[in-house]
Amino acid sequence: MQRQFEQMLTSIIIPTLNHWEYTKQCLESIRKFTNTPYEIIVVDNGSNDETVASLRAMNDVLLVENEGNRGFPAACNQGMAVAHGDQLLILNNDVIVSYRWLDNLLHCLYADCRHGAVGPVSNAVSGIQFRPQPYQTIEEYHNFTQDHNHSNPEQWITTLRLVGFCLLIRRDIYNEIGSFDERFGKGTYEDDDYSLRIRRAGYKLIVAADTYVHHFGSVTNRIDPEYRNVLVTNQQKFIEKWGVDPFYSLWLREDLAALVPKVDRVLDVGCACGGLGLTLKNKGISYVAGIELDKNAAIDAQSVLDQVWIGDAGKIQLPFPNQWFDAMVFADVIEHVAQPQHMLKNLLPYLKENGYLIVSIPNVGHLEILHGLLQGTWTYQNAGILDRTHLRFYTLEEIARLFEQVGVAIEFIGMVQDSTPELEALLRELEALTVRLSLKSFGPPFIERCRTVQYYLRARKLSQGASL
C-alpha cells in the first residue's frame, strides 16, 4: 500500500487533565520536529490549572473543552470525531517527540495494506515497545534520536498489542471498527481492546522500532489514588467482553522465545492468543502452528500463526507425519494439565528425534511455598506458583522425572528468581540444615533452587534406543 503520505494530513489528538508543563513541552516538540501536514486537537477533561487558558490562546490548536473528567477513551473519541486527517494519532500529553518521528510512523503505516496501526518504541511503555533509556537529559534524547530515528523496515515488528501513548491509526480502519470503547472509563485496557479489534478485522499491528519517542510516563494516572483499582476493574471488563485474560494471553514471551533455536517448524502448545508464536515468526521461523483449548484465545492466535487447532492437547491428532516439527514449546502449560505424561506422549511422536522441547514451569520448591508450609498454609491465589488453576506442582527433579518417562533429556536450565530479606533469613537456616543432614538433590545448588520462582528448560527428544 505505497502512498505519497508527505501531503496527507495527520490529526494529532491529545487528551489533557492539568499538568500544563508537560503539555507545553509536547506541543513545542510537535511544532519543531514534524515535517508532514498535521493538525493538533486537544481534548481537555476539566483541567483547573493554566492548561485551558493557555490552549485557548494558541491559533494552531483546536480545543475541545469538557467540564469534568470524561476519561481517556471518551476524550480520544471526541477528538477523532472532529478530526479531518487522513490518519489519526493518539498522543499522551507527557510525550516529547523528536527527529523524523511522524515521517517514520507514516512510512511504516502505509508500507503495507495490512498495516492497520503502528506505534514507536519508548523509555516508559509496557511490552515489546519498551526500550531502555539511553540518555539522561532531553537534549541528550534529541541527540540520540537524530542518529536513531531513520526509517528502517528491518526494525518493524508485528505485535498483538500497541499501547495508546502514541498510536497512529489509518482513517479507513477507524471508519471500519469505530471508536474506543468507553466502558473502560478513565482508561487502561482501551488500547488492548482496540488492538484486538484491529487484529480481528484482519489487519496487523506494527511496532516501528526505528522510531523512539520520550515518555515521562502516565503523569495523570500516577497521582490518581484509584488507579490500581481501575487497572483491576478494567482488566475484568476486558475479560468479560472477550473471554480472554490480557495479562496471560497477550504477551509475546520474548524470554522463552530466546531458548528456541533457529529451526523451520515449531509447535506452540497452549499458544493462547499467539504471542509466543508471533515472537518466533518475528525471529524468522518460517512455520509456527499452535494448539489451544480456549476457543476465544484461539481466534486471535489464528490471525498471527500459520495454523491453530482448538482442542485438548492430550487427545488431538495432527494432520502431519511423525517427526514433522523441529521444536515444541510448552509455555506455562504442563502445570495446568491433569495428565501431562499422556499429553507429552500424544504429541512427542510429531517431534523429530533430537528435536527441541522448550518448557516454562513454576517451582513449587520456592522459599515462599516452603515458608507457608512451615506455618501450615497452602493458600491458592489468582496467579503465581499456587495459581488456583494449577493441577500439578513440580520441583526441578520431578520435571526431570517426567521428561525421563517420555524420553526427553534436559540440556539447559534457566531460572527466574525472587526473594525477600525475610525469606533469605529462612534460606540460611534451611541451607545449614541440609548440610547437617547431608541432603542431596538434583540440579543447581540448594540456595539457587529455593530462590527460583520458575524454570525455563530446553530439552532434546532422545533417538530411539538412546538412554538418558
Side-chain angles (χ1 to χ4, degrees):
M1 189 182 187
Q2 296 292 338
R3 297 186 61 177
Q4 297 299 316
F5 57 78
E6 291 84 356
Q7 299 305 314
M8 297 169 64
L9 179 68
T10 301
S11 295
I12 303 174
I13 299 155
I14 308 174
T16 58
L17 177 57
N18 297 316
H19 302 290
W20 169 244
E21 67 278 11
Y22 289 103
T23 304
K24 181 181 178 182
Q25 291 181 81
C26 179
L27 295 175
E28 289 173 348
S29 70
I30 292 171
R31 295 182 183 114
K32 182 175 180 179
F33 293 104
T34 309
N35 300 316
T36 56
Y38 66 92
E39 64 174 358
I40 298 175
I41 302 168
V42 176
V43 183
D44 186 76
N45 268 333
S47 294
N48 54 23
D49 64 358
E50 63 266 47
T51 295
V52 173
S54 300
L55 291 170
R56 285 174 179 169
M58 294 181 174
N59 295 327
D60 64 341
V61 173
L62 171 60
L63 176 61
V64 178
E65 299 181 41
N66 293 322
E67 293 184 0
N69 185 4
R70 293 190 56 185
F72 184 83
C76 291
N77 291 343
Q78 288 177 281
M80 291 190 287
V82 299
H84 302 94
D86 299 287
Q87 52 276 333
L88 311 172
L89 191 142
I90 306 300
L91 190 67
N92 282 12
N93 70 319
D94 61 342
V95 167
I96 295 180
V97 300
S98 194
Y99 292 96
R100 294 172 293 277
W101 74 287
L102 186 54
D103 301 63
N104 287 0
L105 294 178
L106 288 169
H107 187 192
C108 180
L109 184 67
Y110 289 110
D112 191 312
C113 63
R114 296 169 294 177
H115 293 181
V118 304
V121 294
S122 181
N123 60 301
V125 61
S126 64
I128 195 174
Q129 290 176 263
F130 171 75
R131 296 294 185 277
Q133 182 172 313
Y135 50 85
Q136 299 299 319
T137 67
I138 296 303
E139 181 180 2
E140 290 177 359
Y141 157 63
H142 290 307
N143 290 336
F144 163 72
T145 57
Q146 192 167 17
D147 292 330
H148 180 274
N149 286 6
H150 292 277
S151 183
N152 181 1
E154 293 184 359
Q155 295 189 43
W156 298 347
I157 306 166
T158 306
T159 187
L160 290 180
R161 62 189 288 269
L162 289 170
V163 182
F165 81 108
C166 182
L167 178 63
L168 182 63
I169 308 162
R170 280 174 22 201
R171 162 69 74 170
D172 59 317
I173 302 296
Y174 167 70
N175 291 340
E176 179 177 347
I177 71 171
S179 55
F180 285 106
D181 190 337
E182 296 183 18
R183 80 179 68 190
F184 295 103
K186 290 183 177 180
T188 70
Y189 288 102
E190 77 287 335
D191 43 8
D192 294 272
D193 174 83
Y194 209 73
S195 293
L196 186 148
R197 288 157 59 193
I198 290 174
R199 287 189 291 104
R200 291 201 176 185
Y203 303 99
K204 291 184 176 183
L205 305 171
I206 308 295
V207 176
D210 55 11
T211 309
Y212 198 109
V213 304
H214 179 78
H215 187 206
F216 287 101
S218 301
V219 296
T220 300
N221 288 333
R222 278 205 306 258
I223 64 171
D224 186 346
E226 298 181 1
Y227 179 62
R228 187 169 296 277
N229 290 334
V230 170
L231 273 175
V232 174
T233 299
N234 283 355
Q235 180 183 0
Q236 188 58 39
K237 289 179 180 178
F238 186 98
I239 294 171
E240 291 171 357
K241 180 177 180 179
W242 297 109
V244 171
D245 187 341
F247 183 80
Y248 285 108
S249 300
L250 293 177
W251 296 99
L252 299 192
R253 295 303 305 266
E254 293 177 288
D255 50 357
L256 202 57
L259 292 183
V260 182
K262 184 67 179 297
V263 294
D264 293 326
R265 295 189 287 261
V266 176
L267 178 65
D268 183 4
V269 182
C271 63
C273 290
L276 173 57
L278 179 57
T279 304
L280 295 175
K281 292 187 72 66
N282 284 334
K283 287 178 58 178
I285 293 178
S286 58
Y287 179 87
V288 181
I291 298 174
E292 176 55 47
L293 185 62
D294 183 348
K295 64 179 181 181
N296 292 313
I299 292 172
D300 290 299
Q302 288 169 339
S303 72
V304 292
L305 303 186
D306 295 289
Q307 283 184 280
V308 177
W309 294 275
I310 302 173
D312 184 343
K315 299 177 180 178
I316 201 163
Q317 298 298 306
L318 301 179
F320 299 115
N322 286 350
Q323 302 190 40
W324 175 261
F325 289 100
D326 303 299
M328 291 183 179
V329 185
F330 296 80
D332 299 334
V333 170
I334 290 177
E335 66 273 20
H336 292 274
V337 178
Q339 295 179 298
Q341 184 177 354
H342 177 76
M343 175 186 67
L344 290 170
K345 286 187 173 180
N346 180 54
L347 294 177
L348 282 174
Y350 298 105
L351 181 64
K352 290 181 178 178
E353 291 187 358
N354 211 35
Y356 295 92
L357 191 74
I358 293 89
V359 176
S360 63
I361 191 165
N363 173 35
V364 77
H366 184 257
L367 264 171
E368 185 176 5
I369 308 302
L370 300 179
H371 185 256
L373 287 172
L374 289 172
Q375 299 179 90
T377 63
W378 179 278
T379 305
Y380 288 99
Q381 309 290 336
N382 291 328
I385 299 172
L386 294 184
D387 187 313
R388 62 185 75 256
T389 64
H390 290 176
L391 300 179
R392 296 279 182 168
F393 299 91
Y394 291 91
T395 62
L396 182 58
E397 186 162 358
E398 292 304 319
I399 299 170
R401 192 190 311 276
L402 172 64
F403 284 4
E404 181 179 6
Q405 291 170 347
V406 297
V408 175
I410 295 174
E411 70 170 19
F412 172 85
I413 302 171
M415 296 173 285
V416 178
Q417 298 187 326
D418 185 44
S419 187
T420 66
E422 179 186 19
L423 293 177
E424 286 295 307
L426 172 62
L427 177 57
R428 288 191 293 271
E429 297 291 335
L430 292 176
E431 183 187 25
L433 179 62
T434 63
V435 172
R436 289 199 301 270
L437 297 178
S438 300
L439 297 180
K440 304 294 183 182
S441 187
F442 172 82
F446 176 80
I447 288 180
E448 298 303 310
R449 287 186 282 111
C450 288
R451 289 173 178 155
T452 298
V453 176
Q454 187 173 54
Y455 288 112
Y456 289 175
L457 305 169
R458 184 171 65 213
R460 302 291 283 269
K461 178 183 174 182
L462 296 173
S463 302
Q464 291 184 359
S467 59
L468 287 163

